[in-house]
Amino acid sequence: MARTEVSENLRTKGSASKQRQKRPTPAQLEKKIPKILSEVFGMEELREGQEDVIRSVLRGKDTLAVMPTGAGKSLCYQIPALLLPGTTVIVSPLISLMKDQKEKMDRLEREARELNSTYSDAEIEEHIRDLKDGEIEFLFVTPEKLEDPAFVKVLRRIHIDLIVIDEAHCITEWGHDFRPAYLHLKEAIENLGRPPVLALTATATPAVIKDVREQLGLDRLNVIYTGVMRENLFYEAFVLENEEGKRDQLQKTLNEVEKPAIIYTSTVKQTNELFDWLNAHGLSCSKYHGRLSVKERSANQDAFMNGDVSIMVATTAFGLGIDKANVRAVIHYNFPATLEAYYQES
């Protein structure tokens, strides 16, 4: 079958008539993995762990994939989503991450939508109409969106093949603190008819794995762990006595390292101050934090992703799961609260 034929078949597979067809067996679907990988994604082989995760999902198993950043976790839901007849719902913690993932699907000419607080009521209504018509393959939502009974009622009317919890460690890191919506995901999954769940993360201690299992109600969770080691990363720390010393070292480091670079700060105030200071010292950079307008956040993210600026100063509202292959330095101006957070951000 020619590539154009495969693409067209996949593009229309979310239609209502397609969804009514008899579902292929897992074995039949697994045979199609190499073809989808090559003709849609332009790749000839999967990386370590990817095939195990994809096969687990196609067999309808609740799955937790713990794989290093850069190991291709997104492909673990993208391939099943294209093989299965309905819609895949991806629960994502950050708007910047949703934007990045949706744009990838747009480039592949897949039907993808994102629903979050940045959309107007009219835009949301349009996306919901597309959902009801069975036209959407990938739906990116925030956990808060799944707390909306009216929205869940809409989702109950469509065929959901898979629910993906991206950056699943946020259930532990944020769910017990300032994102309580994470603690309601179990209820939402039950209300949607209990479709299979795929949880993805690069950092999962035994305590996090236990929390993910309990908070999502996944008693028979298939954990696929490929490790967290990134041999290509070099870590270095500086002991500095005051703010002046930190800024001097930051300027020196930025002059020495290859770019693009991301500088993480712990507060919005620190981000703004550091952004102003770097620009005053002739270092062109952009900034990203949750208090910027939607338009400004989007423009700043695009400028960094497109290479218009080579330095991004940001809180952790930026960077989680962002796919920019040529980042050469990650600098923590303020040290994260935990080693797991440090690893995740680096």
Side-chain angles (χ1 to χ4, degrees):
M1 183 181 286
R3 177 170 183 169
T4 53
E5 293 177 274
V6 171
S7 299
E8 187 60 34
N9 285 343
L10 289 170
R11 191 174 298 117
T12 60
K13 62 96 180 173
S15 66
S17 62
K18 188 77 172 180
Q19 291 180 21
R20 285 194 295 268
Q21 293 182 10
K22 183 179 179 181
R23 176 170 173 152
T25 66
Q28 291 172 326
L29 294 173
E30 288 170 13
K31 289 180 180 179
K32 298 180 181 180
I33 293 173
K35 194 176 190 71
I36 300 298
L37 182 67
S38 173
E39 297 187 354
V40 177
F41 297 96
M43 301 167 60
E44 296 306 317
E45 60 182 25
L46 292 164
R47 298 175 183 172
E48 180 186 1
Q50 287 180 318
E51 185 168 355
D52 291 337
V53 177
I54 292 168
R55 289 180 183 274
S56 179
V57 171
L58 292 178
R59 293 168 188 174
K61 296 181 179 180
D62 294 324
T63 307
L64 169 63
V66 184
M67 303 167 69
T69 299
K73 290 187 290 295
S74 297
L75 203 64
C76 293
Y77 72 77
Q78 290 165 353
I79 287 180
L82 295 178
L83 287 171
L84 296 168
T87 298
T88 293
V89 177
I90 304 98
V91 181
S92 184
L94 299 175
I95 292 173
S96 58
L97 176 55
M98 295 171 68
K99 173 181 167 64
D100 183 64
Q101 296 288 355
K102 180 185 177 298
E103 288 177 351
K104 289 182 193 174
M105 294 298 96
D106 289 343
R107 289 193 292 271
L108 292 172
E109 297 183 340
R110 304 298 106 192
E111 289 296 334
R113 302 287 190 278
E114 54 178 320
L115 289 175
N116 54 58
S117 60
T118 68
Y119 283 85
S120 67
D121 290 342
E123 290 172 318
I124 290 175
E125 284 297 323
E126 180 183 352
H127 292 335
I128 287 176
R129 283 196 297 272
D130 290 340
L131 268 175
K132 291 177 180 177
D133 292 339
E135 296 179 3
I136 298 177
E137 293 173 318
F138 300 91
L139 177 65
F140 297 89
V141 299
T142 59
E144 286 78 13
K145 194 66 184 170
L146 292 182
E147 287 188 297
D148 180 357
F151 182 64
V152 171
K153 186 177 180 180
V154 170
L155 291 184
R156 285 174 59 87
R157 297 174 58 184
I158 68 172
H159 180 70
I160 297 176
D161 288 314
L162 178 67
I163 294 181
V164 180
I165 312 298
D166 203 5
E167 307 295 347
H169 61 278
C170 292
I171 292 171
T172 293
E173 187 174 325
W174 291 351
H176 302 282
D177 188 7
F178 64 96
R179 295 290 289 275
Y182 271 103
L183 303 184
H184 297 152
L185 287 177
K186 177 182 177 180
E187 181 181 356
I189 292 168
E190 294 294 337
N191 288 337
L192 292 174
R194 196 53 185 79
V197 174
L198 170 62
L200 300 168
T201 183
T203 54
T205 62
V208 171
I209 293 174
K210 180 175 182 288
D211 207 28
V212 169
R213 180 183 284 110
E214 291 177 352
Q215 295 300 333
L216 296 180
L218 308 179
D219 297 332
R220 299 178 132 186
L221 183 63
N222 182 24
V223 180
I224 298 174
Y225 187 96
T226 65
V228 296
M229 185 65 179
R230 295 286 302 279
E231 295 181 356
N232 60 315
L233 298 185
F234 169 76
Y235 289 86
E236 185 175 16
F238 300 97
V239 179
L240 304 164
E241 296 183 356
N242 52 43
E243 189 72 13
E244 183 180 358
K246 286 177 70 173
R247 292 194 175 185
D248 287 345
Q249 182 61 57
L250 175 62
Q251 188 173 21
K252 179 182 178 183
T253 299
L254 288 172
N255 287 333
E256 292 175 350
V257 300
E258 290 185 61
K259 299 176 185 66
I262 299 174
I263 305 169
Y264 281 122
T265 64
S266 58
T267 66
V268 170
K269 179 182 179 183
Q270 186 83 75
T271 298
N272 290 330
E273 290 178 351
L274 209 54
F275 169 79
D276 292 339
W277 184 84
L278 288 169
N279 276 300
H281 284 74
L283 290 165
S284 177
C285 61
S286 191
K287 65 179 178 179
Y288 193 105
H289 58 70
R291 294 185 187 174
L292 295 174
S293 68
V294 173
K295 182 177 181 181
E296 190 172 1
R297 283 203 306 268
S298 181
N300 291 354
Q301 179 175 340
D302 288 343
F304 182 71
M305 298 298 287
N306 297 334
D308 297 331
V309 296
S310 60
I311 301 171
M312 173 64 82
V313 186
T315 63
T316 53
F318 180 84
L320 192 65
I322 293 298
D323 188 0
K324 184 170 173 61
N326 65 337
V327 172
R328 289 297 171 264
V330 178
I331 300 168
H332 291 82
Y333 195 78
N334 306 108
F335 202 80
T338 66
L339 285 174
E340 287 78 20
Y342 180 43
Y343 171 81
Q344 177 70 42
E345 292 162 24
S346 63

PDB file of all heavy atoms in Angstrom, residues 2 13 37-39 42 57 63 98 103 121 140 145 186 207 209 215 220 243 253-254 307 319 339:
ATOM      1  N   ALA A   2       0.546   2.204  -0.838  1.00  0.00           N
ATOM      2  CA  ALA A   2       1.353   3.417  -0.919  1.00  0.00           C
ATOM      3  C   ALA A   2       1.190   4.242   0.339  1.00  0.00           C
ATOM      4  O   ALA A   2       0.197   4.134   1.048  1.00  0.00           O
ATOM      5  CB  ALA A   2       0.914   4.244  -2.138  1.00  0.00           C
ATOM      6  N   LYS A  13      -9.792   7.229  10.196  1.00  0.00           N
ATOM      7  CA  LYS A  13     -10.161   6.115  11.057  1.00  0.00           C
ATOM      8  C   LYS A  13     -10.981   6.531  12.261  1.00  0.00           C
ATOM      9  O   LYS A  13     -11.576   5.692  12.908  1.00  0.00           O
ATOM     10  CB  LYS A  13      -8.915   5.346  11.509  1.00  0.00           C
ATOM     11  CG  LYS A  13      -7.938   6.173  12.328  1.00  0.00           C
ATOM     12  CD  LYS A  13      -8.166   5.968  13.783  1.00  0.00           C
ATOM     13  CE  LYS A  13      -7.192   6.799  14.587  1.00  0.00           C
ATOM     14  NZ  LYS A  13      -7.464   6.775  16.010  1.00  0.00           N
ATOM     15  N   LEU A  37       5.226   2.879  11.808  1.00  0.00           N
ATOM     16  CA  LEU A  37       6.470   3.521  12.227  1.00  0.00           C
ATOM     17  C   LEU A  37       7.200   4.110  11.032  1.00  0.00           C
ATOM     18  O   LEU A  37       7.696   5.238  11.083  1.00  0.00           O
ATOM     19  CB  LEU A  37       7.354   2.496  12.941  1.00  0.00           C
ATOM     20  CG  LEU A  37       8.678   2.999  13.503  1.00  0.00           C
ATOM     21  CD1 LEU A  37       8.446   3.970  14.652  1.00  0.00           C
ATOM     22  CD2 LEU A  37       9.540   1.825  13.973  1.00  0.00           C
ATOM     23  N   SER A  38       7.260   3.360   9.945  1.00  0.00           N
ATOM     24  CA  SER A  38       7.992   3.793   8.764  1.00  0.00           C
ATOM     25  C   SER A  38       7.228   4.834   7.951  1.00  0.00           C
ATOM     26  O   SER A  38       7.772   5.888   7.610  1.00  0.00           O
ATOM     27  CB  SER A  38       8.305   2.581   7.884  1.00  0.00           C
ATOM     28  OG  SER A  38       8.875   2.970   6.657  1.00  0.00           O
ATOM     29  N   GLU A  39       5.960   4.552   7.673  1.00  0.00           N
ATOM     30  CA  GLU A  39       5.238   5.389   6.718  1.00  0.00           C
ATOM     31  C   GLU A  39       4.684   6.664   7.319  1.00  0.00           C
ATOM     32  O   GLU A  39       4.503   7.654   6.611  1.00  0.00           O
ATOM     33  CB  GLU A  39       4.125   4.568   6.066  1.00  0.00           C
ATOM     34  CG  GLU A  39       4.671   3.393   5.271  1.00  0.00           C
ATOM     35  CD  GLU A  39       3.599   2.674   4.476  1.00  0.00           C
ATOM     36  OE1 GLU A  39       2.403   3.030   4.632  1.00  0.00           O
ATOM     37  OE2 GLU A  39       3.947   1.756   3.717  1.00  0.00           O
ATOM     38  N   GLY A  42       8.440   7.987   9.685  1.00  0.00           N
ATOM     39  CA  GLY A  42       9.708   8.003   8.982  1.00  0.00           C
ATOM     40  C   GLY A  42      10.838   7.339   9.738  1.00  0.00           C
ATOM     41  O   GLY A  42      12.010   7.694   9.564  1.00  0.00           O
ATOM     42  N   VAL A  57      -0.097  -1.705  25.502  1.00  0.00           N
ATOM     43  CA  VAL A  57      -1.271  -0.864  25.271  1.00  0.00           C
ATOM     44  C   VAL A  57      -2.236  -1.532  24.297  1.00  0.00           C
ATOM     45  O   VAL A  57      -3.455  -1.558  24.523  1.00  0.00           O
ATOM     46  CB  VAL A  57      -0.837   0.521  24.740  1.00  0.00           C
ATOM     47  CG1 VAL A  57      -2.051   1.322  24.281  1.00  0.00           C
ATOM     48  CG2 VAL A  57      -0.079   1.292  25.811  1.00  0.00           C
ATOM     49  N   THR A  63      -0.834   0.493  31.787  1.00  0.00           N
ATOM     50  CA  THR A  63       0.621   0.447  31.673  1.00  0.00           C
ATOM     51  C   THR A  63       1.247   1.707  32.231  1.00  0.00           C
ATOM     52  O   THR A  63       0.736   2.815  32.023  1.00  0.00           O
ATOM     53  CB  THR A  63       1.035   0.303  30.185  1.00  0.00           C
ATOM     54  OG1 THR A  63       0.341  -0.814  29.605  1.00  0.00           O
ATOM     55  CG2 THR A  63       2.531   0.102  30.044  1.00  0.00           C
ATOM     56  N   MET A  98       1.286  20.778  25.930  1.00  0.00           N
ATOM     57  CA  MET A  98       0.174  20.451  25.037  1.00  0.00           C
ATOM     58  C   MET A  98       0.379  21.082  23.669  1.00  0.00           C
ATOM     59  O   MET A  98       0.159  20.435  22.632  1.00  0.00           O
ATOM     60  CB  MET A  98      -1.144  20.957  25.640  1.00  0.00           C
ATOM     61  CG  MET A  98      -1.523  20.277  26.941  1.00  0.00           C
ATOM     62  SD  MET A  98      -2.929  21.079  27.760  1.00  0.00           S
ATOM     63  CE  MET A  98      -4.241  20.698  26.609  1.00  0.00           C
ATOM     64  N   GLU A 103       1.325  20.417  17.970  1.00  0.00           N
ATOM     65  CA  GLU A 103       2.000  20.874  16.749  1.00  0.00           C
ATOM     66  C   GLU A 103       2.702  19.725  16.033  1.00  0.00           C
ATOM     67  O   GLU A 103       2.780  19.702  14.800  1.00  0.00           O
ATOM     68  CB  GLU A 103       2.984  21.994  17.083  1.00  0.00           C
ATOM     69  CG  GLU A 103       2.277  23.303  17.424  1.00  0.00           C
ATOM     70  CD  GLU A 103       3.231  24.407  17.831  1.00  0.00           C
ATOM     71  OE1 GLU A 103       4.442  24.122  18.011  1.00  0.00           O
ATOM     72  OE2 GLU A 103       2.770  25.557  17.972  1.00  0.00           O
ATOM     73  N   ASP A 121     -14.980  30.118  24.712  1.00  0.00           N
ATOM     74  CA  ASP A 121     -16.138  29.216  24.718  1.00  0.00           C
ATOM     75  C   ASP A 121     -16.489  28.777  23.305  1.00  0.00           C
ATOM     76  O   ASP A 121     -16.856  27.615  23.075  1.00  0.00           O
ATOM     77  CB  ASP A 121     -17.346  29.907  25.361  1.00  0.00           C
ATOM     78  CG  ASP A 121     -17.164  30.111  26.863  1.00  0.00           C
ATOM     79  OD1 ASP A 121     -16.295  29.433  27.453  1.00  0.00           O
ATOM     80  OD2 ASP A 121     -17.878  30.945  27.438  1.00  0.00           O
ATOM     81  N   PHE A 140      -5.903  16.583  23.626  1.00  0.00           N
ATOM     82  CA  PHE A 140      -5.049  16.967  24.741  1.00  0.00           C
ATOM     83  C   PHE A 140      -5.854  17.827  25.707  1.00  0.00           C
ATOM     84  O   PHE A 140      -6.421  18.851  25.305  1.00  0.00           O
ATOM     85  CB  PHE A 140      -3.832  17.754  24.242  1.00  0.00           C
ATOM     86  CG  PHE A 140      -2.932  16.962  23.336  1.00  0.00           C
ATOM     87  CD1 PHE A 140      -3.147  16.938  21.965  1.00  0.00           C
ATOM     88  CD2 PHE A 140      -1.876  16.232  23.861  1.00  0.00           C
ATOM     89  CE1 PHE A 140      -2.317  16.206  21.123  1.00  0.00           C
ATOM     90  CE2 PHE A 140      -1.036  15.493  23.028  1.00  0.00           C
ATOM     91  CZ  PHE A 140      -1.259  15.480  21.660  1.00  0.00           C
ATOM     92  N   LYS A 145      -9.817  19.884  33.227  1.00  0.00           N
ATOM     93  CA  LYS A 145     -10.905  19.754  32.259  1.00  0.00           C
ATOM     94  C   LYS A 145     -11.730  18.501  32.534  1.00  0.00           C
ATOM     95  O   LYS A 145     -12.954  18.484  32.316  1.00  0.00           O
ATOM     96  CB  LYS A 145     -10.335  19.708  30.833  1.00  0.00           C
ATOM     97  CG  LYS A 145     -11.370  19.921  29.741  1.00  0.00           C
ATOM     98  CD  LYS A 145     -11.936  21.326  29.784  1.00  0.00           C
ATOM     99  CE  LYS A 145     -13.052  21.497  28.756  1.00  0.00           C
ATOM    100  NZ  LYS A 145     -13.768  22.766  28.954  1.00  0.00           N
ATOM    101  N   LYS A 186      -8.954   9.342  38.803  1.00  0.00           N
ATOM    102  CA  LYS A 186      -9.525   8.001  38.952  1.00  0.00           C
ATOM    103  C   LYS A 186     -11.029   8.047  38.714  1.00  0.00           C
ATOM    104  O   LYS A 186     -11.575   7.198  37.985  1.00  0.00           O
ATOM    105  CB  LYS A 186      -9.225   7.452  40.351  1.00  0.00           C
ATOM    106  CG  LYS A 186      -9.844   6.096  40.629  1.00  0.00           C
ATOM    107  CD  LYS A 186      -9.534   5.639  42.051  1.00  0.00           C
ATOM    108  CE  LYS A 186     -10.207   4.318  42.361  1.00  0.00           C
ATOM    109  NZ  LYS A 186      -9.912   3.873  43.758  1.00  0.00           N
ATOM    110  N   ALA A 207       8.060   4.874  45.455  1.00  0.00           N
ATOM    111  CA  ALA A 207       6.946   5.567  46.107  1.00  0.00           C
ATOM    112  C   ALA A 207       6.026   6.212  45.076  1.00  0.00           C
ATOM    113  O   ALA A 207       4.789   6.199  45.229  1.00  0.00           O
ATOM    114  CB  ALA A 207       7.475   6.623  47.079  1.00  0.00           C
ATOM    115  N   ILE A 209       5.638   5.215  41.877  1.00  0.00           N
ATOM    116  CA  ILE A 209       4.935   4.127  41.187  1.00  0.00           C
ATOM    117  C   ILE A 209       3.743   3.653  42.026  1.00  0.00           C
ATOM    118  O   ILE A 209       2.638   3.452  41.509  1.00  0.00           O
ATOM    119  CB  ILE A 209       5.902   2.962  40.903  1.00  0.00           C
ATOM    120  CG1 ILE A 209       6.948   3.396  39.873  1.00  0.00           C
ATOM    121  CG2 ILE A 209       5.132   1.741  40.394  1.00  0.00           C
ATOM    122  CD1 ILE A 209       8.039   2.373  39.634  1.00  0.00           C
ATOM    123  N   GLN A 215      -3.612   6.118  43.149  1.00  0.00           N
ATOM    124  CA  GLN A 215      -4.421   7.290  42.819  1.00  0.00           C
ATOM    125  C   GLN A 215      -5.249   7.092  41.559  1.00  0.00           C
ATOM    126  O   GLN A 215      -6.324   7.681  41.415  1.00  0.00           O
ATOM    127  CB  GLN A 215      -3.528   8.530  42.669  1.00  0.00           C
ATOM    128  CG  GLN A 215      -2.835   8.972  43.940  1.00  0.00           C
ATOM    129  CD  GLN A 215      -3.807   9.335  45.044  1.00  0.00           C
ATOM    130  OE1 GLN A 215      -4.937   9.740  44.798  1.00  0.00           O
ATOM    131  NE2 GLN A 215      -3.369   9.184  46.286  1.00  0.00           N
ATOM    132  N   ARG A 220      -3.849  -3.680  38.436  1.00  0.00           N
ATOM    133  CA  ARG A 220      -3.077  -4.617  37.605  1.00  0.00           C
ATOM    134  C   ARG A 220      -2.144  -3.857  36.674  1.00  0.00           C
ATOM    135  O   ARG A 220      -2.004  -4.188  35.498  1.00  0.00           O
ATOM    136  CB  ARG A 220      -4.022  -5.510  36.804  1.00  0.00           C
ATOM    137  CG  ARG A 220      -4.921  -6.363  37.695  1.00  0.00           C
ATOM    138  CD  ARG A 220      -5.878  -7.211  36.886  1.00  0.00           C
ATOM    139  NE  ARG A 220      -5.875  -8.601  37.333  1.00  0.00           N
ATOM    140  CZ  ARG A 220      -6.526  -9.565  36.716  1.00  0.00           C
ATOM    141  NH1 ARG A 220      -7.201  -9.296  35.629  1.00  0.00           N
ATOM    142  NH2 ARG A 220      -6.497 -10.800  37.181  1.00  0.00           N
ATOM    143  N   GLU A 243      24.104  36.615  45.848  1.00  0.00           N
ATOM    144  CA  GLU A 243      23.440  36.837  44.565  1.00  0.00           C
ATOM    145  C   GLU A 243      24.404  37.369  43.514  1.00  0.00           C
ATOM    146  O   GLU A 243      24.356  36.963  42.347  1.00  0.00           O
ATOM    147  CB  GLU A 243      22.275  37.810  44.761  1.00  0.00           C
ATOM    148  CG  GLU A 243      21.367  37.963  43.554  1.00  0.00           C
ATOM    149  CD  GLU A 243      20.493  36.730  43.315  1.00  0.00           C
ATOM    150  OE1 GLU A 243      20.411  35.870  44.224  1.00  0.00           O
ATOM    151  OE2 GLU A 243      19.898  36.638  42.233  1.00  0.00           O
ATOM    152  N   THR A 253      29.148  31.234  32.727  1.00  0.00           N
ATOM    153  CA  THR A 253      28.705  29.955  32.191  1.00  0.00           C
ATOM    154  C   THR A 253      28.033  30.123  30.831  1.00  0.00           C
ATOM    155  O   THR A 253      28.299  29.363  29.889  1.00  0.00           O
ATOM    156  CB  THR A 253      27.730  29.275  33.173  1.00  0.00           C
ATOM    157  OG1 THR A 253      28.404  29.044  34.416  1.00  0.00           O
ATOM    158  CG2 THR A 253      27.239  27.948  32.625  1.00  0.00           C
ATOM    159  N   LEU A 254      27.190  31.128  30.716  1.00  0.00           N
ATOM    160  CA  LEU A 254      26.504  31.363  29.444  1.00  0.00           C
ATOM    161  C   LEU A 254      27.476  31.741  28.334  1.00  0.00           C
ATOM    162  O   LEU A 254      27.233  31.442  27.160  1.00  0.00           O
ATOM    163  CB  LEU A 254      25.439  32.454  29.616  1.00  0.00           C
ATOM    164  CG  LEU A 254      24.197  32.046  30.407  1.00  0.00           C
ATOM    165  CD1 LEU A 254      23.313  33.252  30.682  1.00  0.00           C
ATOM    166  CD2 LEU A 254      23.404  30.974  29.663  1.00  0.00           C
ATOM    167  N   GLY A 307      14.430  29.054  17.332  1.00  0.00           N
ATOM    168  CA  GLY A 307      15.811  29.506  17.299  1.00  0.00           C
ATOM    169  C   GLY A 307      15.988  31.001  17.176  1.00  0.00           C
ATOM    170  O   GLY A 307      17.107  31.479  16.961  1.00  0.00           O
ATOM    171  N   GLY A 319       9.216  23.731  29.802  1.00  0.00           N
ATOM    172  CA  GLY A 319      10.279  22.740  29.693  1.00  0.00           C
ATOM    173  C   GLY A 319       9.856  21.317  29.906  1.00  0.00           C
ATOM    174  O   GLY A 319      10.480  20.410  29.373  1.00  0.00           O
ATOM    175  N   LEU A 339      15.699  15.764  44.484  1.00  0.00           N
ATOM    176  CA  LEU A 339      16.576  15.215  43.456  1.00  0.00           C
ATOM    177  C   LEU A 339      15.776  14.748  42.249  1.00  0.00           C
ATOM    178  O   LEU A 339      16.242  14.851  41.102  1.00  0.00           O
ATOM    179  CB  LEU A 339      17.392  14.049  44.029  1.00  0.00           C
ATOM    180  CG  LEU A 339      18.546  14.437  44.947  1.00  0.00           C
ATOM    181  CD1 LEU A 339      19.189  13.183  45.557  1.00  0.00           C
ATOM    182  CD2 LEU A 339      19.606  15.239  44.190  1.00  0.00           C
TER     183      LEU A 339
END
